[in-house]
Structure formats: structure tokens, C-alpha cells
Amino acid sequence: MKRLNLIGAAILAAAAFLAIPANAQSSLEKILESGKLRVGTTGDFNPMTVRDIASGGYAGHEIDVATELAKDMGVELELVPTDWKTMIAGVQADKFDIVMSGTSMNVGRAKVVGFTNPTIYVTTVPMALTTNLETYKTWADVNKAGIKVAVILGTVFEEEARAAFPDATIVTVEAPATGYQEVLSGRAEVTITSNVDAASIMEKFPAMGTFGKDEARNPKPHGYIVQQGNQSLINFMNTWIALKKASGFYERLSAKWNL
């Protein structure tokens, strides 16, 4: 009887294995066989990914990574436009193989998608007009009734703003609109973003500045997003990332894009 039970268990295990969809097991093979790597990117996070409206082309840290990855894989790179509120659904629906857009790793996202190992780490900083930096010096200065904090819908910054400023008014905008544009236009007093994004914003718009620098919050790793269960692709990507870090590739990119 014990032997029959073991045989039965083995048969059930084999049936379960055969029931797993083939594409869930061979996402890497699918990319290599098709000769195309589909990368979802938002094009609105300077200097990670920026889309030129006139030409439709992309540039940025993550675009350089995607280009290098496709070259090393020996496949064609296809950049697929997406946005922050739909990129998770997009990768789940197999609209692209991987998201490269300067995406923060968090528990909520990790429940529904897979992440590679981290590539860089960033923190969150608040921004306001330089003329208002005497008013806003700390995070606590923002958490008051009547103050508007602008963030992009569906980003981790929306979550962080709601947690940090429960007494303020959170204003959400949809890409291509941005939080800092709301501040520049006077429709909001404050926005929050990554220290990487803040540096590029201040370079382009000297009227914007950061505050509370000693209180930089929410240090978070950035990783690339793939479908949950695509372990073959995650394993490949983690190996590729390790090799590229060892070769100095990521260090050179950080210098190029002032990260």
C-alpha cells in the first residue's frame, strides 16, 4: 500500500509538472528563438528613460542597459511604450518581456511580478520652488492642511506621499504630466521624487530645489520587472547584471548619466 501511495504521488507530481504552461518555463528561450527582446519603458524619468516627442526615440541609463542586453543576447531590441499605472499589467499580459524604466522594488509589486537583483539604489527627496525653501525646510513642514503635494499616479511616490503627508492634499497627475510641473505652474507647493530625478530637474529648472536633505527617506533598490514565474529569465538577468557590474559597465553608466 505504501508503495502504491508513492507511485500515485509521483504520477500526480508529473501531471502537475506537465500542466505548467510551456511559456512560463521558457521565457528566455522564447526571446532567443524569436530574435527579439521587448522592453517596456515609460520615457518620462530623466535620466533613466527619456522619450523625444519629435523623433519618438529614447535615451537614458535604462535605454543604454537595454541596448547592451539585446546586443549580448544577440537579439533585436524593441522598446515598447508604457506608463507607470499600466506597466505591471503590461508585463503580466505579455506585452513586453521586461520593464526597464528605473523601477523601484517594493513588496506590493513583488506580490504580482518578479524582480531581478538590484542595479542601483535611490532615496526620496521633497522639492519646492527655490523661493519657497525658507517655508519648507523639513518633511514635517509639508504635512499641513492646505498644502498640495503633486505626484504621478501609480508610482511609489504616490504611496510615499500619502503615508508621509496625511494632513496635506495629495494631487495626482498622469504621465506625461509630472509632479514638478505642477509645482512650477503654481498648482502645487511640493512634489517628491528620487534623488536621481531631482538632480536632473534642478539642472534643467533652476527654479526648483530640494529640502530636508538630511532626511532623505525610503532608500530603495531599483530592479528590472518580469512576469512572475519566469525564473529562467530572472536567473539569466541576475547573472548578466553580476557580470556587467564586475566589468565596470554599470559604473561607467552611472558616471555618464550623473547617478
Side-chain angles (χ1 to χ4, degrees):
M1 181 63 70
K2 184 176 180 181
R3 183 179 179 184
L4 289 174
N5 287 339
L6 290 173
I7 293 172
I11 292 172
L12 288 173
F17 177 81
L18 291 173
I20 299 173
N23 62 351
Q25 300 177 47
S26 59
S27 57
L28 176 60
E29 291 179 353
K30 180 181 175 183
I31 293 168
L32 297 176
E33 289 175 3
S34 69
K36 181 178 292 185
L37 173 67
R38 300 168 302 157
V39 174
T41 192
T42 62
D44 64 353
F45 184 9
N46 189 24
M48 305 306 288
T49 169
V50 181
R51 188 176 191 182
D52 183 89
I53 302 301
S55 68
Y58 290 84
H61 178 278
E62 302 291 61
I63 307 306
D64 285 353
V65 173
T67 302
E68 183 79 359
L69 174 61
K71 183 185 77 172
D72 287 350
M73 295 180 81
V75 298
E76 175 189 351
L77 173 63
E78 179 185 351
L79 296 173
V80 183
T82 186
D83 57 45
W84 295 100
K85 68 180 185 296
T86 62
M87 68 181 182
I88 298 296
V91 77
Q92 289 175 323
D94 196 33
K95 291 184 177 179
F96 29 82
D97 304 302
I98 189 167
V99 175
M100 290 183 165
S101 206
T103 46
S104 301
M105 303 170 73
N106 62 33
V107 173
R109 287 173 175 170
K111 290 178 181 178
V112 293
V113 293
F115 276 101
T116 66
N117 287 340
T119 55
I120 63 172
Y121 291 80
V122 300
T123 56
T124 299
V125 295
M127 301 190 76
L129 294 176
T130 54
T131 53
N132 289 334
L133 293 184
E134 285 300 315
T135 302
Y136 305 111
K137 295 181 180 180
T138 69
W139 286 67
D141 291 335
V142 181
N143 189 31
K144 298 175 182 177
I147 296 177
K148 295 179 181 178
V149 181
V151 286
I152 299 177
L153 180 69
T155 62
V156 294
F157 302 114
E158 180 189 357
E159 299 174 17
E160 293 174 6
R162 295 189 186 281
F165 312 122
D167 295 332
T169 299
I170 307 303
V171 178
T172 57
V173 297
E174 295 193 34
T178 65
Y180 73 82
Q181 288 172 337
E182 295 298 294
V183 175
L184 285 169
S185 69
R187 292 187 291 268
E189 288 76 36
V190 173
T191 186
I192 61 172
T193 189
S194 72
N195 58 310
V196 171
D197 191 31
S200 64
I201 290 170
M202 290 187 292
E203 184 177 349
K204 188 174 182 180
F205 301 100
M208 292 292 297
T210 60
F211 59 94
K213 293 181 181 179
D214 294 335
E215 300 178 89
R217 295 186 179 184
N218 305 312
K220 62 185 76 67
H222 277 195
Y224 308 127
I225 293 176
V226 301
Q227 277 188 355
Q228 219 171 40
N230 281 352
Q231 198 59 48
S232 62
L233 182 55
I234 291 176
N235 290 344
F236 173 83
M237 286 300 304
N238 287 342
T239 300
W240 186 83
I241 290 168
L243 291 170
K244 287 300 176 180
K245 284 186 174 182
S247 72
F249 172 72
Y250 276 97
E251 186 176 357
R252 292 191 295 274
L253 275 192
S254 292
K256 175 182 176 180
W257 295 104
N258 297 316
L259 298 183

